[in-house]
Amino acid sequence: KALVLSCIDFRILEAERYFLSLQNLSNRYDLVSLAGSSLALSGIPHQANTQAFWDQVDLAYRVHHIQKIIILDHQDCPE
């Protein structure tokens, strides 16, 4: 149903799962975790993350027919 881009920070996993359950997406999303989450789309901390994300979007669309992309960021990121 969706592709979720999240930070790799383990401190926010429970909050992310809770938020996604409120969106009626429990067990209905593909997860991509990259350091910095949305920052990864601008090449921070590594340019390769940007291409990796778009490759995953392409795959998720072709295989699971995702309908939306959700980008989850958080404060207090050590990145």
Side-chain angles (χ1 to χ4, degrees), residues 11-68:
R11 300 174 298 165
I12 61 171
L13 287 174
E14 188 174 329
E16 286 178 350
R17 286 188 192 118
Y18 177 69
F19 170 78
L20 292 167
S21 73
L22 293 177
Q23 305 305 307
N24 196 28
L25 288 172
S26 293
N27 300 316
R28 299 175 73 201
Y29 61 92
D30 294 326
L31 178 64
V32 175
S33 296
L34 295 170
S37 191
S38 65
L39 290 176
L41 298 180
S42 64
I44 298 170
H46 303 287
Q47 188 63 41
N49 288 343
T50 305
Q51 187 59 50
F53 171 73
W54 289 112
D55 289 345
Q56 294 302 304
V57 168
D58 179 58
L59 182 63
Y61 182 75
R62 286 187 289 119
V63 174
H64 296 145
H65 311 289
I66 60 167
Q67 299 171 357
K68 60 180 149 185

Side-chain angles (χ1 to χ4, degrees), residues 4-15:
V4 176
L5 173 61
S6 173
C7 184
I8 63 169
D9 193 330
F10 64 89
R11 300 174 298 165
I12 61 171
L13 287 174
E14 188 174 329

